[in-house]
Amino acid sequence: MSAHQDFIPGNELYVSTFDKGHLPLPPSKKVAVVTCMDARIEPATQLGINLGEAHVIRNAGGSAKEALRSVVISQRLLGTREVAVFHHTDCGMLTFTNEQLHDKVKAEAPGNAAVAAAVDAIDFLPFSQLEESVKEDVKFLKENPLLLEGTNLTGWVYDVTTGKVQRVV
Ligand SMILES: [Zn+2]
């Protein structure tokens, strides 16, 4: 039994009431949300975002650095003018260092030079201070020359235990 076996019945249910096939490509609220891939996060429901209103860019930790490619596409090609960065409590990114993950991957492929070189080349972008990491990511975007001038930038923390969001910057 694989998780993907639930996709077709789940989708059939969705399609049975789907009536949003007319939406245009650019997000109507002109906002891009950068957030974590954490399974407890559901930005649309948690932030009151409807289909077609926002870009949601997700990766491990909600890293603005990793999201930059998507943010540039979002702004330059699809008209967004606001970026909101969300990190969250109990994030996996708070639990390891680059060195630890590098060592773990290498230990799982002993003597494999290709694996060692490939993993050592990756900065997994872990962080140790939650609010500080949000501020750093907002600062990274603010100072990035590729970001459009006048972009409305905010930074937030989402609490996975209460479901509440709090603005940090
Ligand atoms: Zn996370």
Side-chain angles (χ1 to χ4, degrees):
M1 186 70 185
S2 298
H4 77 259
Q5 289 175 302
D6 295 335
F7 291 172
I8 294 292
N11 179 248
E12 281 170 352
L13 193 63
Y14 182 71
V15 167
S16 68
T17 59
F18 183 74
D19 60 358
K20 298 285 195 303
H22 62 285
L23 294 173
L25 173 57
S28 63
K29 285 191 170 173
K30 298 184 186 299
V31 61
V33 172
V34 177
T35 193
C36 188
M37 66 185 189
D38 193 287
R40 297 163 293 182
I41 291 177
E42 207 177 51
T45 315
Q46 290 157 357
L47 302 174
I49 296 170
N50 296 308
L51 205 65
E53 289 183 345
H55 281 151
V56 178
I57 303 163
R58 302 185 69 163
N59 59 47
S63 162
K65 280 181 190 155
E66 184 170 328
L68 183 63
R69 181 186 68 89
S70 300
V71 168
V72 171
I73 291 168
S74 177
Q75 292 202 319
R76 304 294 175 134
L77 299 180
L78 294 161
T80 60
R81 294 294 179 266
E82 182 171 352
V83 182
V85 177
F86 283 79
H87 293 180
H88 67 95
T89 61
D90 198 37
C91 186
M93 303 302 281
L94 292 156
T95 66
F96 68 95
T97 64
N98 262 325
E99 191 184 9
Q100 285 169 346
L101 187 47
H102 289 163
D103 288 349
K104 174 175 164 56
V105 172
K106 285 184 273 191
E108 286 165 2
N112 188 325
V115 166
V119 76
D120 280 340
I122 298 178
D123 179 357
F124 287 100
L125 304 169
F127 46 79
S128 54
Q129 301 284 335
L130 183 56
E131 289 195 9
E132 206 49 43
S133 72
V134 174
K135 290 175 188 170
E136 279 171 15
D137 267 13
V138 169
K139 186 167 179 280
F140 166 80
L141 290 175
K142 190 171 281 184
E143 292 175 352
N144 195 285
L146 293 177
L147 215 75
L148 285 179
E149 204 145 322
T151 297
N152 186 353
L153 270 169
T154 55
W156 306 73
V157 166
Y158 171 76
D159 188 326
V160 295
T161 59
T162 64
K164 280 190 182 168
V165 297
Q166 189 186 347
R167 187 168 166 186
V168 172
V169 59

